[in-house]
Amino acid sequence: MAAAMGVGRFLYTPVLPYMEEALGLPKDEAGLIASANYLGYLLGALAAAKSLLPGSRRAWFLLALLVSAATTAAMGLVDSLTPFLILRFLGGLASAFVLVFSSALILERLAAAGRPQLSAVHFGGVGTGIALSALMVWWLGANGAGWRELWFGGAVLTLLALLLCWRAVPSAPEAPPPPKGAGGLSRALRALILAYGLFGFGYVITATFLSTLVREEIAVEGAGALVWAVVGLTAAPSVAFWAWLARRLGADRAFSLACLVEAAGVALSVVAGGLPGLVLSAVLLGGTFMGITALGLIHARQLSSGDPRRSLALMTAAFGLGQMIGPVFAGYLYSLQGDFTAATLTATGLLLVAALLLRRS
């Protein structure tokens, strides 16, 4: 999770300012590149959820992690829009496969061991990867590395993770497919799916352009990477916190509260000037986005009748659509207005709507 999601999916955020400076990359193209990755993630998650893929889950998991390393490295070998789009799309596919198959393996074994609470450690890997890769970008950038070397560094981190996973995740018998069941979508589940899509749009603009916002606000080399590291450091323990809160308030109320907190963090990225406001924005974003991701999927399983894969696929589709539209929307508005204020405040409003939907469902 740290390698495929924290690095393979989110390394683009701290590297983006370096690419913009060296390549003159406009904001609308930067948003398009981000959206290509999210499109790959959407399609990959839906494909990985099918039971028709041949071979073991472990084989798919390790192969996808290798593809994630390869596409990350290849980003440092090209310098034009079309190959960037293709590589980020393939990287998104790979990250989704790693998420689905590693979660299936790990969560199944935790359940068999009677320790399902450790799932927070698994999902916390995303924040760990964000923090490690951001600190890597800061250190390499401070020592004169260019944007190409930053992508190569991310690939090295992913290959190291692949070697560790090869040894740490042994083969095991495949689990039987879940029983099939019929049933429509309840009103509460429909509201959750819509809220999850709004959350996908709501978090992704800040998650994509936060390092760029920092560089535009603070002319200090590496500041964007360090602020992005704050997102990772707060994301790592956040899943455990929100899971704990959900057990006390209910998953719907915890989801709603997390959306409210995240809305405040997203708004702060453009409303509060200076480094303190941006750091606080990073804390609130990091402290909620993985928690909301996990809470949404947990609550969808609770609301499903029969085989939950249909509900989870719809959740994935809604989330993927939202986060795919967000960067393109933000890049387009930036090209018209010269800043991210309108796009970010739109995202803030949609997060507030998501919170309201769960309070009323």
Side-chain angles (χ1 to χ4, degrees):
M1 292 289 277
M5 301 291 289
V7 179
R9 190 166 165 213
F10 288 116
L11 179 62
Y12 181 66
T13 296
V15 176
L16 178 57
Y18 295 87
M19 295 175 66
E20 290 175 328
E21 182 176 347
L23 302 173
L25 190 67
K27 296 296 189 297
D28 53 348
E29 290 188 5
L32 192 61
I33 293 169
S35 291
N37 183 256
Y38 299 137
L39 175 61
Y41 175 83
L42 165 62
L43 298 179
L46 293 175
K50 302 295 182 182
S51 58
L52 303 177
L53 294 172
S56 70
R57 291 174 296 176
R58 180 178 183 271
W60 280 105
F61 159 53
L62 294 174
L63 176 61
L65 200 50
L66 179 61
V67 172
S68 182
T71 55
T72 299
M75 283 291 290
L77 300 175
V78 299
D79 58 9
S80 58
L81 180 61
T82 298
F84 283 151
L85 293 174
I86 294 171
L87 289 171
R88 292 307 288 160
F89 174 80
L90 294 175
L93 280 172
S95 67
F97 268 62
V98 172
L99 170 67
V100 171
F101 288 109
S102 69
S103 297
L105 289 165
I106 300 302
L107 300 184
E108 179 181 290
R109 294 179 193 188
L110 289 176
R115 305 187 72 183
Q117 69 277 8
L118 288 180
S119 61
V121 178
H122 172 66
F123 288 108
V126 179
T128 303
I130 288 174
L132 286 175
S133 60
L135 292 173
M136 177 205 71
V137 168
W138 168 77
W139 184 79
L140 289 177
N143 285 278
W147 65 273
R148 296 182 189 274
E149 288 77 19
L150 302 181
W151 284 110
F152 296 152
V156 170
L157 290 180
T158 305
L159 284 174
L160 290 174
L162 173 60
L163 293 175
L164 290 172
C165 291
W166 185 279
R167 296 295 302 273
V169 183
S171 299
E174 292 296 302
K180 294 184 178 180
L185 301 178
S186 66
R187 178 176 178 272
L189 183 53
R190 291 197 301 270
L192 177 61
I193 291 169
L194 176 57
Y196 209 57
L198 296 177
F199 155 62
F201 184 102
Y203 97 94
V204 78
I205 294 173
T206 306
T208 301
F209 293 109
L210 181 60
S211 292
T212 299
L213 285 166
V214 173
R215 171 160 283 196
E216 291 181 350
E217 184 76 19
I218 304 160
V220 176
E221 185 71 25
L226 289 176
V227 172
W228 183 243
V230 172
V231 174
L233 291 172
T234 51
S238 69
V239 178
F241 169 76
W242 289 108
W244 171 83
L245 197 64
R247 289 194 293 271
R248 283 151 180 79
L249 300 180
D252 52 350
R253 291 186 177 182
F255 185 102
S256 179
L257 179 59
C259 284
L260 291 175
V261 174
E262 185 164 290
V266 167
L268 279 172
S269 68
V270 294
V271 171
L275 185 60
L278 289 166
V279 171
L280 181 56
S281 172
V283 169
L284 297 180
L285 177 68
T288 53
F289 86 95
M290 278 310 300
I292 298 172
T293 301
L295 285 177
L297 296 176
I298 291 169
H299 196 33
R301 292 183 68 91
Q302 293 171 345
L303 296 174
S304 300
S305 58
D307 186 348
R309 279 187 294 180
R310 179 186 176 220
S311 300
L312 296 181
L314 289 171
M315 291 280 287
T316 301
F319 176 78
L321 184 62
Q323 70 170 4
M324 185 177 65
I325 294 171
V328 174
F329 175 77
Y332 176 73
L333 284 188
Y334 188 99
S335 68
L336 293 177
Q337 301 178 336
D339 59 41
F340 290 108
T341 301
T344 301
L345 293 181
T346 300
T348 302
L350 294 182
L351 284 167
L352 294 175
V353 173
L356 183 61
L357 283 170
L358 267 291
R359 291 294 294 173
R360 292 193 164 189
S361 61

